[in-house]
Amino acid sequence: MSETPQRVIIIDDHPLFRKGLIQLLRTVPGFQLVAEAADGKEGIRQILHLRPDLLLLDLNMKDMSGLEVLRFVKQADLDTRVVMVTVSDAADDLVAALRAGADGYLLKDMEPEEMVAALHAAAAGRIVVSDALTHLLAAALRDEKRPESASAAGLTEREQGILECIAGGLSNKQIARELNIAEGTVKVHVKHLLRKLNFRSRVEAAVWAVEHMRSDR
Protein backbone atom coordinates (compact mmCIF):
# COMPACT_ATOMS: atom_id res chain seq x y z
CA MET A 1 0.00 0.00 0.00
CA SER A 2 1.29 3.50 -0.80
CA GLU A 3 2.31 6.04 1.85
CA THR A 4 -0.66 8.24 0.94
CA PRO A 5 -3.51 7.37 3.32
CA GLN A 6 -6.48 5.53 1.86
CA ARG A 7 -9.44 7.91 2.01
CA VAL A 8 -12.42 5.95 3.34
CA ILE A 9 -16.20 6.46 3.47
CA ILE A 10 -18.44 4.19 5.57
CA ILE A 11 -22.13 3.74 4.73
CA ASP A 12 -24.07 1.73 7.29
CA ASP A 13 -27.48 2.30 8.86
CA HIS A 14 -26.53 0.66 12.16
CA PRO A 15 -25.03 3.44 14.34
CA LEU A 16 -23.34 1.10 16.80
CA PHE A 17 -21.51 -0.90 14.13
CA ARG A 18 -20.64 2.24 12.18
CA LYS A 19 -19.08 3.84 15.25
CA GLY A 20 -17.18 0.64 16.04
CA LEU A 21 -15.75 0.46 12.52
CA ILE A 22 -14.77 4.12 12.67
CA GLN A 23 -12.93 3.53 15.96
CA LEU A 24 -11.16 0.52 14.45
CA LEU A 25 -10.07 2.51 11.39
CA ARG A 26 -8.64 5.26 13.57
CA THR A 27 -6.26 2.76 15.16
CA VAL A 28 -4.92 1.60 11.78
CA PRO A 29 -2.14 3.54 10.01
CA GLY A 30 -2.74 4.16 6.33
CA PHE A 31 -6.48 4.88 6.47
CA GLN A 32 -8.22 8.24 6.74
CA LEU A 33 -11.96 8.38 7.36
CA VAL A 34 -13.31 11.28 5.28
CA ALA A 35 -17.06 10.74 5.75
CA GLU A 36 -19.75 8.48 7.13
CA ALA A 37 -23.40 8.08 6.19
CA ALA A 38 -26.39 6.28 7.66
CA ASP A 39 -28.18 5.73 4.34
CA GLY A 40 -27.43 5.16 0.68
CA LYS A 41 -28.62 8.52 -0.68
CA GLU A 42 -26.51 10.55 1.70
CA GLY A 43 -23.64 8.15 1.07
CA ILE A 44 -23.81 8.72 -2.68
CA ARG A 45 -23.70 12.49 -2.17
CA GLN A 46 -20.56 12.06 -0.06
CA ILE A 47 -18.98 9.70 -2.60
CA LEU A 48 -19.53 12.10 -5.52
CA HIS A 49 -18.19 15.02 -3.49
CA LEU A 50 -15.17 13.32 -1.90
CA ARG A 51 -14.34 10.48 -4.35
CA PRO A 52 -12.81 8.14 -1.74
CA ASP A 53 -10.29 5.39 -2.43
CA LEU A 54 -12.28 2.86 -0.41
CA LEU A 55 -15.99 2.52 0.39
CA LEU A 56 -17.13 0.23 3.22
CA LEU A 57 -20.77 -0.48 2.47
CA ASP A 58 -23.56 -2.23 4.34
CA LEU A 59 -25.66 -4.59 2.22
CA ASN A 60 -29.12 -4.36 3.78
CA MET A 61 -30.28 -0.79 4.35
CA LYS A 62 -33.81 0.55 4.48
CA ASP A 63 -34.03 3.38 1.94
CA MET A 64 -31.55 2.17 -0.65
CA SER A 65 -29.83 -1.20 -0.63
CA GLY A 66 -26.09 -1.64 -0.65
CA LEU A 67 -26.37 -3.31 -4.06
CA GLU A 68 -28.03 -0.19 -5.48
CA VAL A 69 -25.25 2.00 -4.08
CA LEU A 70 -22.64 -0.43 -5.41
CA ARG A 71 -24.13 -0.39 -8.91
CA PHE A 72 -24.26 3.41 -8.87
CA VAL A 73 -20.58 3.67 -7.92
CA LYS A 74 -19.51 1.18 -10.60
CA GLN A 75 -21.65 2.81 -13.32
CA ALA A 76 -20.28 6.22 -12.38
CA ASP A 77 -16.83 4.81 -13.19
CA LEU A 78 -15.32 6.18 -9.99
CA ASP A 79 -11.90 4.90 -9.00
CA THR A 80 -13.33 3.72 -5.67
CA ARG A 81 -12.93 0.19 -4.36
CA VAL A 82 -16.15 -1.05 -2.76
CA VAL A 83 -16.11 -3.62 0.04
CA MET A 84 -19.43 -4.92 1.37
CA VAL A 85 -19.46 -5.31 5.16
CA THR A 86 -22.56 -7.23 6.17
CA VAL A 87 -24.20 -9.76 8.48
CA SER A 88 -25.48 -11.79 5.52
CA ASP A 89 -23.69 -15.06 4.87
CA ALA A 90 -26.20 -16.08 2.18
CA ALA A 91 -24.60 -17.36 -1.02
CA ASP A 92 -27.11 -15.44 -3.15
CA ASP A 93 -26.14 -12.12 -1.54
CA LEU A 94 -22.43 -12.89 -1.90
CA VAL A 95 -22.69 -13.83 -5.58
CA ALA A 96 -24.97 -10.86 -6.37
CA ALA A 97 -22.55 -8.40 -4.78
CA LEU A 98 -19.49 -9.82 -6.55
CA ARG A 99 -21.28 -9.87 -9.90
CA ALA A 100 -22.32 -6.25 -9.38
CA GLY A 101 -18.63 -5.38 -9.08
CA ALA A 102 -17.87 -5.50 -5.35
CA ASP A 103 -14.16 -5.60 -4.56
CA GLY A 104 -14.78 -7.54 -1.37
CA TYR A 105 -17.39 -9.10 0.90
CA LEU A 106 -16.70 -9.22 4.62
CA LEU A 107 -18.82 -10.39 7.53
CA LYS A 108 -19.45 -8.02 10.41
CA ASP A 109 -18.60 -10.68 12.99
CA MET A 110 -14.98 -10.94 11.80
CA GLU A 111 -12.29 -10.53 14.43
CA PRO A 112 -10.88 -6.97 14.39
CA GLU A 113 -7.42 -8.24 13.37
CA GLU A 114 -8.94 -10.11 10.41
CA MET A 115 -10.93 -7.04 9.37
CA VAL A 116 -7.80 -4.88 9.45
CA ALA A 117 -5.84 -7.42 7.37
CA ALA A 118 -8.70 -7.61 4.85
CA LEU A 119 -8.88 -3.82 4.54
CA HIS A 120 -5.13 -3.59 3.94
CA ALA A 121 -5.47 -6.25 1.24
CA ALA A 122 -8.41 -4.39 -0.35
CA ALA A 123 -6.44 -1.13 -0.31
CA ALA A 124 -3.57 -2.93 -2.07
CA GLY A 125 -5.91 -3.92 -4.90
CA ARG A 126 -6.80 -7.45 -3.87
CA ILE A 127 -10.34 -8.83 -3.80
CA VAL A 128 -11.24 -9.86 -0.25
CA VAL A 129 -13.87 -12.37 0.85
CA SER A 130 -14.33 -13.64 4.39
CA ASP A 131 -12.75 -17.09 4.72
CA ALA A 132 -16.04 -18.46 6.04
CA LEU A 133 -17.72 -17.67 2.70
CA THR A 134 -15.31 -19.01 0.09
CA HIS A 135 -16.80 -22.51 0.26
CA LEU A 136 -20.29 -21.03 -0.30
CA LEU A 137 -19.06 -19.25 -3.41
CA ALA A 138 -17.41 -22.41 -4.71
CA ALA A 139 -20.60 -24.41 -4.13
CA ALA A 140 -22.71 -21.78 -5.88
CA LEU A 141 -20.43 -21.88 -8.91
CA ARG A 142 -20.51 -25.68 -9.06
CA ASP A 143 -24.28 -25.49 -9.45
CA GLU A 144 -23.86 -23.56 -12.72
CA LYS A 145 -22.57 -24.97 -16.00
CA ARG A 146 -18.96 -23.91 -16.59
CA PRO A 147 -16.01 -25.21 -18.64
CA GLU A 148 -14.27 -28.09 -16.92
CA SER A 149 -10.77 -26.90 -17.75
CA ALA A 150 -8.84 -23.91 -19.02
CA SER A 151 -8.26 -25.64 -22.36
CA ALA A 152 -11.97 -26.45 -22.67
CA ALA A 153 -12.70 -22.77 -22.11
CA GLY A 154 -10.31 -21.88 -24.91
CA LEU A 155 -8.03 -19.79 -22.73
CA THR A 156 -4.76 -18.74 -24.32
CA GLU A 157 -1.48 -19.34 -22.54
CA ARG A 158 -1.33 -15.64 -21.61
CA GLU A 159 -4.91 -15.71 -20.28
CA GLN A 160 -4.11 -18.79 -18.19
CA GLY A 161 -1.09 -17.00 -16.73
CA ILE A 162 -3.19 -13.98 -15.84
CA LEU A 163 -5.90 -16.19 -14.33
CA GLU A 164 -3.29 -17.86 -12.10
CA CYS A 165 -2.22 -14.38 -10.95
CA ILE A 166 -5.84 -13.48 -10.20
CA ALA A 167 -6.21 -16.69 -8.20
CA GLY A 168 -3.09 -15.65 -6.30
CA GLY A 169 -4.83 -12.44 -5.27
CA LEU A 170 -2.91 -10.02 -7.50
CA SER A 171 -4.47 -6.78 -8.74
CA ASN A 172 -4.26 -5.72 -12.40
CA LYS A 173 -1.39 -3.37 -11.57
CA GLN A 174 0.52 -6.16 -9.79
CA ILE A 175 -0.13 -8.59 -12.67
CA ALA A 176 1.19 -6.03 -15.15
CA ARG A 177 4.42 -5.72 -13.14
CA GLU A 178 4.69 -9.50 -12.72
CA LEU A 179 4.28 -10.22 -16.44
CA ASN A 180 5.99 -7.04 -17.66
CA ILE A 181 3.01 -5.88 -19.74
CA ALA A 182 0.83 -2.76 -19.68
CA GLU A 183 -2.01 -2.58 -17.15
CA GLY A 184 -4.39 -1.81 -20.02
CA THR A 185 -3.36 -5.07 -21.69
CA VAL A 186 -4.09 -6.96 -18.48
CA LYS A 187 -7.59 -5.44 -18.34
CA VAL A 188 -8.29 -6.59 -21.90
CA HIS A 189 -7.11 -10.15 -21.13
CA VAL A 190 -9.20 -10.24 -17.91
CA LYS A 191 -12.28 -9.15 -19.85
CA HIS A 192 -11.69 -11.89 -22.45
CA LEU A 193 -11.07 -14.69 -19.95
CA LEU A 194 -14.15 -13.76 -17.90
CA ARG A 195 -16.26 -13.93 -21.05
CA LYS A 196 -14.81 -17.32 -22.03
CA LEU A 197 -15.48 -18.71 -18.54
CA ASN A 198 -18.93 -17.09 -18.40
CA PHE A 199 -18.13 -15.19 -15.22
CA ARG A 200 -18.89 -11.59 -14.34
CA SER A 201 -16.37 -11.12 -11.54
CA ARG A 202 -12.72 -11.96 -11.02
CA VAL A 203 -13.48 -13.54 -7.65
CA GLU A 204 -15.63 -16.17 -9.36
CA ALA A 205 -12.81 -16.79 -11.83
CA ALA A 206 -10.28 -17.08 -8.99
CA VAL A 207 -12.38 -19.66 -7.14
CA TRP A 208 -12.89 -21.63 -10.38
CA ALA A 209 -9.16 -21.50 -11.11
CA VAL A 210 -8.21 -22.91 -7.71
CA GLU A 211 -10.55 -25.87 -8.28
CA HIS A 212 -9.86 -26.55 -11.95
CA MET A 213 -6.50 -25.32 -13.17
CA ARG A 214 -4.29 -27.64 -11.11
CA SER A 215 -6.15 -30.64 -12.47
CA ASP A 216 -5.82 -29.21 -15.98
CA ARG A 217 -2.03 -29.60 -15.97
Side-chain angles (χ1 to χ4, degrees), residues 163-183:
L163 182 54
E164 288 177 348
C165 290
I166 291 173
L170 300 187
S171 66
N172 286 345
K173 188 174 292 186
Q174 291 167 329
I175 294 171
R177 284 201 298 265
E178 179 80 15
L179 301 180
N180 197 29
I181 57 178
E183 187 176 352

Side-chain angles (χ1 to χ4, degrees), residues 26-92:
R26 285 175 176 159
T27 69
V28 184
F31 293 95
Q32 177 190 359
L33 180 74
V34 293
E36 59 173 294
D39 62 74
K41 291 176 182 175
E42 172 60 23
I44 283 176
R45 283 193 288 271
Q46 298 281 12
I47 292 163
L48 291 175
H49 176 59
L50 296 167
R51 296 180 174 261
D53 302 301
L54 182 64
L55 172 62
L56 303 181
L57 178 61
D58 190 14
L59 181 64
N60 298 310
M61 297 184 290
K62 295 183 183 71
D63 72 318
M64 185 179 188
S65 75
L67 278 181
E68 290 175 290
V69 177
L70 169 63
R71 292 188 184 106
F72 178 89
V73 172
K74 294 302 177 179
Q75 287 167 6
D77 201 26
L78 301 171
D79 192 20
T80 297
R81 297 182 63 76
V82 183
V83 176
M84 313 305 292
V85 185
T86 176
V87 297
S88 175
D89 58 2
D92 288 349

